[in-house]
Amino acid sequence: KLTLPSGVKPIVEEKRIQLSIPLYEAREKTKAKAKRLPPHITEKLFQYTDGTRGWMFKEFERWFNAEVADSRIFCLFGSGGTGKTMISAKIAVAEENKGDCIMAWHFCRHDNTSDNTITKIIYSIVSSVKETLKEYETYLEGNDLEKESKSIRDPKDLFNALLATPLSKICPPKDSFKKLIIIDALDELSRESLLDILEIIKACFPNLPNWVVFFITARREQKIVNALLKSNVNHHEIELTNENHLVDMRAFFHKVIRKFADTSFSFDALEQNVELHFGMEKNSLRGKLTSLDGPMNTSRTAYDNALAIIISNEPRFSRIVQMIPIILNKELRQDSDNLNTLFEQSKVTQVDLGKILIKMFGEGTLNGNTITEGAVVPKEVKGQKRVNEKIRDKYDGDCRQVHDFSRFSTVFRNISSLKTGFEQVRNHELIDMVNIKNKFVDQDVLGYCDINTKVKYKLPDNSHHICEIQFHLQSILEVKEQQHGQYEYIRRRIPNLIKGSESNIDVRKFTEYILDLFRSSPIDAMIEKAMSLSNGNFQYARLTELELEARREINPDRKATFDDFVKLPCGLGSMYETNLDRIFGSKNKGRINWDKCREFISIVCCAREPLPERIMQTVLGQEKFESVYAELSILFPIGSNHKITVLHKSIVDWFCGSLGGDESSKTSVYRITPSDIKKANTELGMVCSELMIHSPLIEKGCIDENTDSSVCSFSFLTKAFGNTFNSNGINDSFSSINIGDESNDTGIGRIQHDEEVVSYAWKHAVYHLKMGESCNKLLALRKNLVTFEWLL
């Protein structure tokens, strides 16, 4: 045994989880891990937009990697469509430094109730843990726990027997100081299963060893919050409604709009934007802003010529500017709402941060025609008169929105040195960049370009002050000095546009708003219009992308305009209704088509898991199925397994009138009523019961009332009931049976040989009949089922 010198600690290489690296940096390993995920979750994973959710992953890393854990449950709350499952998927395949921190995961699904029973969830986690921890697997097998657990009926006892007790008995894993279990979408469980798992959280989580931690996602439902509060295990929570979430949404819209929209400047779009913002009569500004065309084009041409020279001298220019991230944070606010406090903080920031920047880059000059490289630090902060004007004319009296009390410029000769300087500032321990406008990618209307950032600077008293740091190219600044007169001409002309008007518009606010549009890129207006309609819902953003993709397929040459974004529906519910209006025509004229599709949607809404396509074809008839599905394929895609899925849970919620915070579906012509659901259950129940009664195994005499349970582990029963039937020898005996001729292509005869179809029927026939209207059929089915003692 070696003895360390006094004061020397042993070096222990412990595993730490790392998530915030870009997905592309380890694409192959990520793809390999993604193969273990369910297909619909893998699809979510690869919808991830690089550069988003970094704040969330950093917070998760901080929580997971804490030496002294103050909580063992990380709970991510968010409403439907905010991206919780995508985040869970990203964490599930996270790239790690060493070992494997992820011990198990289970993704709950609203449309697969049979996989969401508490027993299935527990066995799903057990199966994953066995793959990860061989010592755990050995302990289970050595004590025959899985076999003994078959007789346990209480979920809490089952959890303790298979997870809490065995994990407490084995040694902590050496490759990681913590192991993570992910349970996604608790709110998508049935009421009974949700109550079971909440009881387990309260009663059983404390029985697990300290090295087992959980990542859980859910909508913020009070019963879930209460269960977490009543548990003896502390939890850490984050809500997907904060400013970081909205920053991610802007990043997503930025990507989509650059791909599908025309982001060039248009006076029509500018005038439309101003009219909407100030509530002016439509077309009241038509043609008036074109009077600014001359100075705008002069300015734009000068900047474009300067950029052309820069690009010719720096072949890597475009590649470098694309590497500078974009963070669009419109919700950014100073911590203090006291104007005097903000001025005092800005004076300290101006001195201290100014010294840091001069130490990094040397002292530059920005004085008329004299422009030299380095950091330019104004001697004074922004004057009180100008600050008061901005608060009054731009920010509706809110001083927290002023971010340039203290401001700095850094000047560079070329884009390579600018990028290096940008990274130096960004990585400084006292600086947190919270807003980045990359105008080299999105030039403003007048042609000007730089990197404009807002940073939170940490003051000596540990408070933060937001200030502005700009990163300039020297040659662009020289053009700016030359073209400043064009900008001033535009400023003077704007008030004349509404002179003599009877409008009550404040001229100063009108001027400030238009100048802001000239200082911005046209893409910014499109992003903010989409954001205002989305209500912070990522599913809305995703549907917008699908809508623009569909339009491009119809007309590849047409790009979306600002007017297209103005016409987008407001909110997720309105997005669904607008798309259905487009499918079915007007609400009055389209009723026949809607009624034709109502049956299909009702059946999907009441299905207990993704419905095999062939069952739907049997219920509707082939011809009706094909005509209906042609209209609804975007909302209800059919996967490679030939099962009908739902694009997102919010679709079913909306059709059934239960989409939180949305009243449109309750009065919509497209409402699926309880009677529709009851009728759909009856139709499904009838088909499923026929499939059971006329099962090939029964008809061929493979199983009857005398069949022993050891013979009944036929593959579709194993699929239907998990590992309930677990004996040997059936596969050979079944494979020798000639099930029959599948040439009969109608009705039950056409589908009774499909294992997925028959599996669904055995699992759900009783439920659908019970929830439907066919009591006689239910009694007849019961009479058939009770014949088989092994099934009971």
Side-chain angles (χ1 to χ4, degrees), residues 111-134:
D111 60 354
N112 197 349
T113 54
S114 58
D115 277 354
N116 283 348
T117 64
I118 191 62
T119 305
K120 283 285 185 75
I121 293 172
I122 291 172
Y123 277 108
S124 167
I125 293 172
V126 167
S127 176
S128 295
V129 177
K130 283 167 62 179
E131 288 183 18
T132 308
L133 298 179
K134 292 303 176 185

Side-chain angles (χ1 to χ4, degrees), residues 114 609 612 615 643 688 691-692 714-722 751-752 754-765:
S114 58
E609 60 182 271
I615 290 183
K643 292 185 179 181
C688 289
L691 282 165
M692 292 180 70
F714 167 55
S715 59
F716 75 71
L717 292 180
T718 303
K719 279 187 180 179
F721 302 106
I751 65 172
Q752 64 180 354
D754 187 319
E755 286 188 16
E756 295 288 354
V757 168
V758 179
S759 171
Y760 185 94
W762 280 79
K763 281 190 276 187
H764 304 305

Side-chain angles (χ1 to χ4, degrees), residues 497-516:
L497 299 176
I498 55 171
K499 258 188 182 178
S501 170
E502 297 179 5
S503 171
N504 295 321
I505 295 172
D506 186 314
V507 175
R508 291 172 304 196
K509 290 185 177 180
F510 183 80
T511 302
E512 195 65 44
Y513 185 75
I514 294 178
L515 285 174
D516 256 1

Side-chain angles (χ1 to χ4, degrees), residues 95 99 134 143 146 211 305 334 356 461 477 684 689 736:
E95 292 308 317
K134 292 303 176 185
N143 293 276
E146 286 188 273
W211 50 268
N305 290 338
Q334 298 279 8
I356 291 172
D461 63 358
L477 277 182
L684 271 181
S689 63
S736 63

Side-chain angles (χ1 to χ4, degrees), residues 303-314:
Y303 284 116
D304 286 349
N305 290 338
L307 267 179
I309 295 171
I310 292 169
I311 292 171
S312 67
N313 293 330
E314 295 189 72

